[in-house]
Structures are given as structure tokens and as C-alpha cells.
Amino acid sequence: MLTNRSKSFWLLLAPALLALIVVLFIPLMTGSYYSLTDWNGNTVGHFVNFDNYIRAFQDQMFIDSLIFTAKFSIVSVILINVIALMLATLVTQKLGKWTTLFRTVFFMPNLIGGIILGFIWQFIFNKAFESIADLTNIEFFKGWLDTPETGFWGLVILFVWQMSGYMMLIYISFLNNIPEEILEAADMDGASPLQTFIKIKLPMLMPAFTVTLFLTLSNAFKIYDQNLALTQGGPYNSTQMTAMNIYNEAFSMRNMGFAQSKAIIFLVIIVIISIIQISITRKKEISA
């Protein structure tokens, strides 16, 4: 049996550790160093200490992108998990041959790449909605993606549509693992379906919430390709998310060192939020 002290253990672990060091730790250390310089992508000039970090907190466009990303993440995470749980509850009912079909249809949007998905919804908002507006003269369908408000909700709709099916599968796996004897006992005691769901299923789904909240939070914060394809940060950078702001700073403005400092700040924010979320949901698992 392998132990931490055995050579076999470390031999088997070595490829994963090497990949982790090459892909994660070396770029992180290198990026942290470059964030303290005026690196332009080709040459490293002067060591500027923490000037890039001070400039980042004084960059109003960067602050606005952080606020926009936070609002987007909060709304998206809530909607994704609510819809995913509803879908999982639906497809775990006795629907016969339709169960597999529904699961496949709900999961399919997650298989589409972010760029393609963005262009699909851009066509829906700009062409299909405008055609509906012309036919019905309903103002609601006019000018989607033309204002910060509709641009925000356009991104939310796209992301929720893409991620709900994926989170649904996680909820399905946990719902199927709830012992049937407990549900039958609740039914014999006269509990309604709603009472069974709230009193029994929800507490036993807390480990699923830990996983799904972490995945949706991390994906919502680092979204880029959908933002690029759907709104390109417009109008007037009002829907520019933090990942796009960092990318533009690095590759459009060629301020690599400054962009790297923004990326480090963004990473720290995501790590702190993720740790807080995991610690809170873990405690709920224990109490449940």
C-alpha cells in the first residue's frame, strides 16, 4: 500500500506535480515579477516596485470593470443554480423515455464554444429581436445590446443558457444519491413534495452547492470570449468585464507589466471570494 514516504507514491505523483509547476507556479512567479516592472511584452525596462498596483487602483476603467463583473457574477450565479436545480428536479422525475432527451437538450448549450455562442446570441438580439420588433412594434425587442442595461442582461442570458445544463448534471448526480428509503419514509409520514424537497433534499444537496457555486463563481469572474463575441465591451466600455480589460491593456495598449499587476489583483480577489464561499458552504454541509 502506498504511503507519503514511499518512493512509488512520489514517482506516480511526479508527472502531475511537474505539470502543476510548469503550468501554474512558474507562470505565477514570472507574472508576479513582471507586474513590478514596465515590461512591454518584448523587453523588461525598469523595476517600478508597486507603481503598477497603485495605478491599477487609480484606473477608473479597471474599477468599473471589476464592479460590472461582480454584478454580473452575482446575478448569473443565482440564476444558474436556481434554474439548474429546477431542471435537475424535473429530469429526475419519472418521465420515461423523455428523461434522456430532456437531459441531452438541456446540456447541449454547454458543448458550444464561447465565441460561437456569443455570435449566435448576437444574431438573436440584433437580428431576430429586431425582426420581432418590426412585426409587432413592441419596444422591448428594440435596441438590444445598444445600452449598458440590455448589454448586461444579454451577457447574463447567454451565460445562464450555457452553464445551467452543466450544473444540472451535478445536481442530478446528488439527487440520485439520496437514499430512496428516506423519501419513502417522508411520503408515508404525509410530507408533501414541497416539504420533502425543502426538509430532506435541500440539506442533502449542500455538497452539490459547494461544487456548483465554486464552478459558477470562478467561470463567471473569468468570462472573456462571450464578452468579446457578444458586446466587445460596448457601448463605450460599459459592458467590459475584467478579463477583457486586462487583455486590452496587455495586447492593445502593450502595457504588459501594468496588465499583469491587474491580473494579480484580479486573481487575489477571485481566490479570496472562492475561499469564503467554500468555507461558508462547507459549514452548511456539516450542520445539515
Side-chain angles (χ1 to χ4, degrees):
M1 184 175 179
L2 297 179
T3 65
N4 288 1
R5 297 181 180 179
S6 69
K7 294 181 180 179
S8 300
F9 175 84
W10 292 108
L11 184 62
L12 292 172
L13 196 62
L17 286 175
L18 180 62
L20 195 64
I21 291 171
V22 172
V23 174
L24 182 62
F25 289 108
I26 291 178
L28 180 60
M29 294 300 103
T30 305
S32 299
Y33 168 73
Y34 283 144
S35 71
L36 302 174
T37 69
D38 59 355
W39 180 43
N40 63 6
N42 296 317
T43 59
V44 178
H46 302 289
F47 194 74
V48 297
N49 294 317
F50 292 98
D51 288 354
N52 285 333
Y53 291 91
I54 296 172
R55 285 178 57 200
F57 285 110
Q58 293 173 344
D59 186 344
Q60 189 58 48
M61 191 175 295
F62 177 61
I63 300 300
D64 290 342
S65 71
L66 284 173
I67 295 172
F68 182 84
T69 303
K71 289 165 54 180
F72 169 84
S73 300
I74 292 170
V75 175
S76 297
V77 166
I78 293 173
L79 289 177
I80 287 171
N81 283 278
V82 170
I83 293 173
L85 184 55
M86 291 172 60
L87 294 178
T89 304
L90 172 65
V91 299
T92 50
Q93 305 299 315
K94 296 179 180 179
L95 300 175
K97 62 181 180 180
W98 297 103
T99 300
T100 303
L101 176 62
F102 285 146
R103 292 184 184 186
T104 304
V105 170
F106 294 148
F107 180 72
M108 280 179 61
N110 190 256
L111 302 176
I112 305 174
I115 290 288
I116 298 174
L117 201 64
F119 284 126
I120 291 172
W121 278 96
Q122 186 186 71
F123 174 81
I124 293 173
F125 289 133
N126 289 338
K127 301 297 183 182
F129 275 28
E130 286 295 332
S131 298
I132 294 173
D134 292 339
L135 290 173
T136 62
N137 202 30
I138 300 176
E139 292 293 329
F140 174 79
F141 295 103
K142 293 183 178 180
W144 270 80
L145 307 183
D146 290 343
T147 67
E149 291 77 17
T150 54
F152 171 82
W153 286 109
L155 284 166
V156 169
I157 291 170
L158 185 158
F159 190 62
V160 170
W161 188 72
Q162 182 185 29
M163 292 293 296
S164 294
Y166 180 32
M167 297 302 114
M168 175 196 71
L169 294 183
I170 298 175
Y171 284 121
I172 288 173
S173 65
F174 280 87
L175 283 170
N176 288 336
N177 285 331
I178 297 176
E180 194 66 31
E181 296 81 7
I182 298 177
L183 301 178
E184 290 176 358
D187 184 56
M188 292 177 64
D189 289 338
S192 66
L194 181 61
Q195 289 174 324
T196 302
F197 181 79
I198 294 175
K199 298 295 185 180
I200 297 176
K201 291 185 178 181
L202 272 184
M204 300 188 75
L205 283 174
M206 286 312 302
F209 286 124
T210 301
V211 176
T212 56
L213 287 174
F214 174 77
L215 290 175
T216 47
L217 269 173
S218 58
N219 280 283
F221 269 101
K222 66 185 183 182
I223 184 175
Y224 171 76
D225 45 358
Q226 295 94 326
N227 191 194
L228 175 67
L230 188 64
T231 66
Q232 298 182 353
Y236 306 109
N237 295 320
S238 59
T239 62
Q240 183 184 84
M241 303 189 74
T242 307
M244 178 175 285
N245 179 271
I246 294 171
Y247 180 90
N248 291 339
E249 192 70 55
F251 296 100
S252 298
M253 308 300 294
R254 304 297 297 177
N255 295 325
M256 295 286 186
F258 185 35
Q260 190 62 48
S261 67
K262 290 182 177 182
I264 297 295
I265 293 171
F266 191 40
L267 172 64
V268 172
I269 292 173
I270 293 175
V271 169
I272 291 174
I273 292 175
S274 298
I275 291 174
I276 293 173
Q277 175 260 308
I278 291 173
S279 62
I280 292 174
T281 51
R282 286 286 187 187
K283 290 179 182 177
K284 294 291 185 180
E285 288 180 31
I286 297 172
S287 62

